[in-house]
Structures are given as structure tokens and as C-alpha cells.
Amino acid sequence: MKHLLKLSDLTAEEILSILNLADQLKYERKNGVPHPYLKGKHLGMIFQKSSTRTRVSFEVGMDELGGQALFLSDRDLQIGRGEPIQDTVRVLSRYLDGIMIRTFKQEDVEALAKYGSIPVINGLTDYCHPCQVLADLMTIREYKGSLKGLKLCFVGDGNNMANSLIVGCIKMGMRVAIACPDAYRPDADVVAWARENGELLVTSDVLAAAAGADVLYTDVWASMGQEGEKKVREAAFKGYCIDEKVLAAADREAMVLHCLPAHRGEEITAEVFEAHAAEIFDEAENRLHAQKAVLVKLLK
Ligand code: CP
Ligand code: NVA
């Protein structure tokens, strides 16, 4: 494993090995065992979109591993003034040991890996969000004991989260159901891959998708960069919400996850969110542990 660009690049064994190391690092942190595996290493973090969790968890994660993280906003970088990303990465490769990038186009992340000579981590694109799903899988395994055979139901937009959940869950032997309006299905290449490699249902029927699910998952109706479509999306996604009825269709022991930030009253009701806050904030915490595992695998 040289980069983390998207989950489809990883084998099931590689994902499992990240999850196991994440569990170990979480245990060590809880018990005050230092783990400075990345002493003297520097991670550059390029942000072309906002972030709370990704920025803070990578920054704290590098610090806890004995290294250092540099926050690089495109408002300050020459990228914002038109310097090609291929040039930026060739320069950064001379200073840094790794790059995390949050941006719009998946091609830009792939270009960093192609032109640079250091590991690249995808911190979210319009296409996928692999770091989030590693933390999600870690959280599901913590609560359920294992992953194989479980059913995850995602309700909402067939967006970057849906794409990565489909790939990550199917690689781990889970079944996936996506409930979304017809015009907002996950990317066609992801759906085609899933159909060949596992069990995927894509339907506009929320209750059918939720039937018997072990994990219910949702995300915002309008992602970063889609602010202008807010009104259209509010109309299109009406009813694509994890509420009491959806919960009742799922398994009695179903857990509810949300990558955050959440919009109560849109993709999830305030009641369901608060009833499952323990899981949702464990999930957010696990971003730290899962990403530290990725950093150790790539930068050590
Ligand atoms: N879930 C997630 O990636 O959160 P941020 O946008 O706050 O980083
Ligand atoms: N789909 C959301 C995820 C945020 C973590 C977005 O891209 O804005």
C-alpha cells in the first residue's frame, strides 16, 4: 500500500490490517502508552474545502505519533492563484513525508500520487471519502464484534459517502442497501463493481432498503460544493430521512451512524440522532485512530 486514494485500491487484507492497527493505537492511547512511530515526519494537509474532524484528527494524530502536521489552505497556497497541482506536489515532495488532501476532483488526488514521490491520502473528494469509511468499519466492528454478513443501509444522496461505504462494506463481506432518489444514485462504476463483488441493492424505497439492517447510515442532502442546489435537493430528498419508521424497519439492535456534520430534521430526526449519539460520536473519535493507523502504514 503506497497511497490511500480510494478504498477500491486496497485489498480486504489491507483494510483489515488498518482496522487492527487502529484498535491497537486506540488501546495504547487509552492506557497512556506512547507510540511515536513517526518521529521527525511531516504531513502536509491541503484543504480546498472546510473541515472540522478531518483537520483536527490528522493534526492531533500526527502529533501523537511524534510527527508534525502542516495545515495548508488553498487560500494561502499558490494553488489558489493557479499554480498547477503537478508542480505543487513535486515541490512538496522535497519537504514532506506525506500529503493529505481534501478537494473536489478525484483526478487531482490521483495526479498528486502520479507526480509526487511521497504517500498521498485522500481526505475527501466529490467521489469518495475513504478515511471516514475506515473509521466507520472500525466503529461497526467495535459494536457488533465482526463485519462479515452484516447489512448496512445508507439513506440519502448517492454521494462520496455512499460510494465509499459500498466499496468498504462489500470488501469486508457486508451487504449494502442504498435508498436514494433515482436521480441521485451512487456512481455507476461503483454500482457495477459492487454487483460483481457482493450484494448491493439500490432503491428509492427507504423502508425496503432498511429492512433488517444492522447499521443505518446517512449524510447531508447537499454536500460541500453543492450549496447552490440546496433548494432543489431539499425537494428531491424529502422523506429520505432516518426517523422512527426507518428505525422500526431495521434490526432491533441496529446502530445508527452519521459521518457529520448533521442536519437534524433533514436526513435524520433530532430524536434518532440523540438516541444514537454514543455511536455517532464514537465514530467521530475513531477518525483519529483509523487515520493514525493509515499514517503509520504509509509513512513509517
Ligand atoms: N466527516 C468529516 O469528514 O468531517 P469534516 O468535514 O468535519 O472533516
Ligand atoms: N457528503 C459530505 C460529507 C462530509 C463529511 C460532503 O462532501 O460535504
Side-chain angles (χ1 to χ4, degrees):
M1 178 179 161
K2 274 163 67 182
H3 305 283
L4 176 59
L5 308 180
K6 53 188 184 301
L7 289 179
S8 50
D9 296 339
L10 271 51
T11 62
E13 291 70 35
E14 283 171 329
I15 295 177
L16 209 55
S17 160
I18 292 168
L19 301 183
N20 291 341
L21 180 56
D23 285 349
Q24 183 200 318
L25 292 169
K26 182 170 184 172
Y27 176 86
E28 289 180 2
R29 185 180 193 258
K30 262 209 177 97
N31 291 282
V33 181
H35 36 248
Y37 299 127
L38 299 183
K39 206 164 178 329
K41 305 271 187 191
H42 292 88
L43 176 79
M45 309 190 299
I46 302 175
F47 281 93
Q48 300 190 291
K49 290 177 176 173
S50 305
S51 170
T52 297
R53 283 143 286 271
T54 305
R55 178 187 173 175
V56 177
S57 55
F58 267 108
E59 208 162 314
V60 171
M62 273 306 283
D63 184 67
E64 290 182 358
L65 290 167
Q68 210 178 318
L70 288 82
F71 174 71
L72 307 168
S73 154
D74 73 339
R75 274 191 293 270
D76 309 316
L77 289 172
Q78 295 285 9
I79 290 180
R81 296 179 57 250
E83 180 169 16
I85 209 151
Q86 305 94 288
D87 294 353
T88 304
V89 71
R90 279 182 282 192
V91 173
L92 293 179
S93 291
R94 307 286 179 110
Y95 308 140
L96 301 168
D97 302 287
I99 296 185
M100 194 286 307
I101 179 164
R102 164 167 288 196
T103 190
F104 295 86
K105 292 201 237 119
Q106 180 70 17
E107 301 88 80
D108 284 349
V109 180
E110 309 271 345
L112 285 189
K114 182 172 170 203
Y115 288 94
S117 52
I118 53 176
V120 174
I121 300 171
N122 182 343
L124 180 146
T125 60
D126 293 345
Y127 178 68
C128 65
H129 196 1
C131 290
Q132 178 68 52
V133 170
L134 290 172
D136 298 339
L137 292 169
M138 178 183 178
T139 312
I140 297 168
R141 197 168 72 155
E142 267 176 3
Y143 275 80
K144 299 287 183 189
S146 61
L147 298 171
K148 207 170 160 48
L150 295 178
K151 174 180 174 179
L152 178 136
C153 164
F154 176 92
V155 177
D157 187 16
N159 59 12
N160 43 12
M161 280 312 312
N163 284 341
S164 282
L165 282 166
I166 291 171
V167 177
C169 290
I170 286 185
K171 283 208 180 236
M172 291 295 98
M174 295 171 64
R175 294 169 293 136
V176 180
I178 307 284
C180 60
D182 287 337
Y184 295 92
R185 289 162 65 93
D187 283 47
D189 63 311
V190 173
V191 173
W193 176 89
R195 294 257 153 86
E196 278 191 10
N197 290 279
E199 218 179 293
L200 171 69
L201 170 73
V202 182
T203 172
S204 56
D205 184 337
V206 181
L207 293 181
D214 302 287
V215 185
L216 293 170
Y217 200 114
T218 190
D219 181 19
V220 292
W221 291 343
S223 285
M224 290 181 276
Q226 298 170 337
E227 289 77 9
E229 299 171 33
K230 201 172 179 310
K231 281 271 158 296
V232 177
R233 284 174 170 268
E234 269 170 21
F237 286 102
K238 210 166 185 312
Y240 288 86
C241 170
I242 301 187
D243 57 14
E244 288 303 327
K245 273 198 228 122
V246 176
L247 211 52
D251 185 77
R252 269 184 43 206
E253 308 274 301
M255 59 193 295
V256 177
L257 295 179
H258 193 310
C259 57
L260 304 174
H263 291 76
R264 291 163 174 77
E266 291 187 10
E267 74 275 4
I268 190 164
T269 63
E271 293 74 22
V272 171
F273 186 95
E274 291 305 334
H276 291 270
E279 291 134 52
I280 293 168
F281 291 104
D282 278 345
E283 176 190 15
E285 178 190 323
N286 285 341
R287 291 293 304 276
L288 173 67
H289 312 300
Q291 284 158 201
K292 281 167 75 179
V294 169
L295 288 166
V296 171
K297 294 269 179 206
L298 292 177
L299 270 57
K300 197 177 161 210

